[in-house]
Amino acid sequence: MTSIRLRFRPSSVSGKEGTLYYQVNHFRRTGVMGTSYRIYPNEWDEEHACIVISGSVCCDSERKAVLQLYQSKINMDMDVMREIVNERENTIRHYTLEDLLDVLRKRTNSMSVFRYIRSQIDKKNRMGCYGTAKTYNNVLRCFTKFREEKDIAFDGMDNELIQEYEAWMLHAGLRRSSAACYLRTLRTLYRQAVDDGQAENNDIFRKVHVSVGKTCKRAVPIETIRMIQSLDLSGKTSLDFARDIFMFSFYTRGMSFIDIAYLRKSDLRNGFLTYNRRKTFQSLVIQWEQPMQNIVDRYAGQTYDSPYFFPIVRGETLADRLSYEQALQRINRSLKRIGTLIGLPIPLSTYVARHSWASIARNMDVPLSIISEGLGHDSDKTTQIYLASLDKSMVNKANVGTQKFMAPELLNEAEKYDNKVDVYSFGVLLFWILTNGQMPKVTIVEIGTGKIAKIPDTVNKFATKLIKDCWTFQPSQRPSFEEISQSLKSNKFKLLDLSDKEVKEVENFVKNH
């Protein structure tokens, strides 16, 4: 026969906290198990062997919260120990007090689910991973509400409980995608508990939906990007700032807002922006373009003494994280207003810039691996899931190269186009060759409106005119390849200002090859 009682041992020093411990009686033998719970004498009810929480004894709200936590842990400890005793008495005929105490200590020293999740939240906050800590905290609040504030041991986590949790969330009005997100995060925490030796490696999530479902379309075509860019927002500072952040994200291959907020001036070196994604820690390199510089220049006065490009955060503290979250909310509210101004059928947000860059790149037949690298995804599979919700129409059927080689009609998703798109690309190739590998200083948004890049003075007049002719906005006004060939022959292929001797050497080289 075994019994377990909670006992209180007062401190030998007057006015100090005493200790709670468990007294285990097994066939007239007595053993004790210590705890870390400390209470004052007036917080103990000897008759009922429990902590006094209600009434006039405890008037401090913080102390009351501590006592409630103690009592919750004690209740859980007692449930676990009674279960162990019942299991032993039903399956093992003879066992000693020492054997029992050993098992009880191992089980009661393990963390409960709530306590473990809180420890992971604290850990992420110490690491500066505030976003992950917030996600974990949201999961803890949801799971705690489902459990009606009753903590549970990892041993109590099974398939049935997880299925009940999923059903409870759906019945409470959560979307299936939101419920799946909570379940995925809880599964992550459970697997971490397994690695830490707090839980058994059981597949308790196999009967619930944790996969990423298809989400609503959050990408817009290039025409909408141009509408956002050209919208008159004079005198509307908050909307103008939100538009700048949106366009900067689009220009930088869909950079996430958190990466924009923490983007340092020192990340820009030798014409390239090099930064690490805060979500995956992946290093990304982006060529710095003039439109990006134009945007950051507008905020140089506000960030002259800050290491960051934008006036969003000033450091890596928890307060800065709060500033980031508040800025994100303000910007998304402003973007939503911008979307309303241009009649956009979907809510405009920072995510739309990221999705739109991926969608436009995909529609230009940019390989999946390149889009994945541009977005900073860990794998192509992630990108496939990411693109699954985007528009399935494919406008560019030709095997084209990078975006800056694209003719305006392709960027504008014209239904019909001819080989004059190749003439445009030839002009870009000619520019690239004659400038020693430089790309035209113009964005794809500007290309779509007919703007052309400035051609350096180092390119001679004949080559400059030929490139400009190839870049004519109206396809019908561009020369044909036959006309280009005739023009080159008439000018003796002088794309560079060469001496007569150099021209002769080129002619001989062409004849011999």
Side-chain angles (χ1 to χ4, degrees), residues 137-323:
N137 194 52
N138 290 338
V139 168
L140 177 60
R141 282 206 312 268
C142 184
F143 192 63
T144 301
K145 190 174 181 180
F146 160 68
R147 289 284 303 163
E148 298 179 344
E149 309 292 332
K150 297 176 183 177
D151 205 345
I152 186 174
F154 279 103
D155 288 350
M157 300 275 283
D158 55 22
N159 287 314
E160 185 176 348
L161 178 72
I162 299 302
Q163 285 180 282
E164 290 176 1
Y165 179 42
E166 179 186 42
W168 177 85
M169 286 190 288
L170 296 176
H171 182 73
L174 270 69
R175 294 181 180 180
R176 183 167 290 280
S177 58
S178 298
C181 182
Y182 279 118
L183 288 167
R184 282 197 305 276
T185 306
L186 185 60
R187 183 180 63 179
T188 298
L189 288 161
Y190 183 84
R191 288 175 174 173
Q192 185 61 51
V194 171
D195 291 342
D196 292 341
Q198 295 290 333
E200 295 295 327
N201 190 11
N202 298 321
D203 189 10
I204 64 175
F205 291 85
R206 66 177 182 273
K207 294 184 179 180
V208 294
H209 297 87
V210 295
S211 59
V212 180
K214 184 177 179 180
T215 59
C216 61
K217 177 184 172 184
R218 287 193 285 186
V220 295
I222 193 68
E223 294 89 349
T224 302
I225 300 292
R226 283 196 289 272
M227 288 175 65
I228 295 169
Q229 182 196 40
S230 60
L231 188 64
D232 184 7
L233 297 174
S234 302
K236 300 175 181 177
T237 306
S238 61
L239 298 188
D240 203 18
F241 180 62
R243 192 247 307 272
D244 280 343
I245 293 296
F246 182 92
M247 294 306 302
F248 188 85
S249 174
F250 183 77
Y251 290 145
T252 53
R253 302 191 313 217
M255 185 183 294
S256 297
F257 178 69
I258 189 168
D259 293 324
I260 293 175
Y262 287 91
L263 195 63
R264 291 177 173 269
K265 296 172 183 176
S266 58
D267 293 333
L268 178 59
R269 295 184 296 275
N270 301 321
F272 288 91
L273 188 64
T274 304
Y275 73 100
N276 293 324
R277 281 201 71 200
R278 294 180 75 87
K279 183 176 181 179
T280 63
F281 305 106
Q282 183 177 356
S283 180
L284 298 178
V285 180
I286 299 174
Q287 184 170 336
W288 191 252
E289 302 283 0
Q290 189 59 45
M292 306 174 196
Q293 187 64 50
N294 293 341
I295 290 175
V296 300
D297 283 348
R298 286 197 279 275
Y299 304 97
Q302 300 178 50
T303 62
Y304 70 95
D305 60 345
S306 169
Y308 303 101
F309 275 117
F310 294 99
I312 299 172
V313 299
R314 299 188 67 85
E316 297 277 352
T317 66
L318 189 56
D320 289 298
R321 175 71 191 196
L322 181 60
S323 297

Side-chain angles (χ1 to χ4, degrees), residues 431-455:
F431 180 98
W432 184 80
I433 292 172
L434 298 178
T435 59
N436 295 318
Q438 294 183 39
M439 290 299 292
K441 300 296 184 181
V442 63
T443 69
I444 61 172
V445 174
E446 293 169 332
I447 292 172
T449 63
K451 183 176 180 178
I452 65 172
K454 184 180 183 299
I455 300 175

Side-chain angles (χ1 to χ4, degrees), residues 386-402:
Y386 192 86
L387 292 172
S389 64
L390 304 182
D391 188 2
K392 295 288 196 272
S393 63
M394 296 295 291
V395 298
N396 180 20
K397 304 300 181 183
N399 186 21
V400 296
T402 60

Side-chain angles (χ1 to χ4, degrees), residues 17 51 67 93 101 129 146 156 238 267 269 377 446 452:
E17 294 172 311
I51 298 174
L67 296 178
R93 181 171 297 181
L101 289 173
C129 301
F146 160 68
S238 61
D267 293 333
R269 295 184 296 275
H377 284 163
E446 293 169 332
I452 65 172

Side-chain angles (χ1 to χ4, degrees), residues 362-394:
R362 194 273 314 275
N363 285 346
M364 291 175 180
D365 281 347
V366 175
L368 180 66
S369 59
I370 301 299
I371 299 175
S372 180
E373 181 179 351
L375 292 170
H377 284 163
D378 291 329
S379 67
D380 289 356
K381 183 178 179 181
T382 303
T383 309
Q384 288 173 334
I385 295 172
Y386 192 86
L387 292 172
S389 64
L390 304 182
D391 188 2
K392 295 288 196 272
S393 63
M394 296 295 291

Side-chain angles (χ1 to χ4, degrees), residues 46-63:
E46 180 65 30
E47 182 180 354
H48 298 95
C50 67
I51 298 174
V52 177
I53 298 175
S54 60
S56 59
V57 173
C58 180
C59 57
D60 186 339
S61 60
E62 291 187 8
R63 183 59 182 172

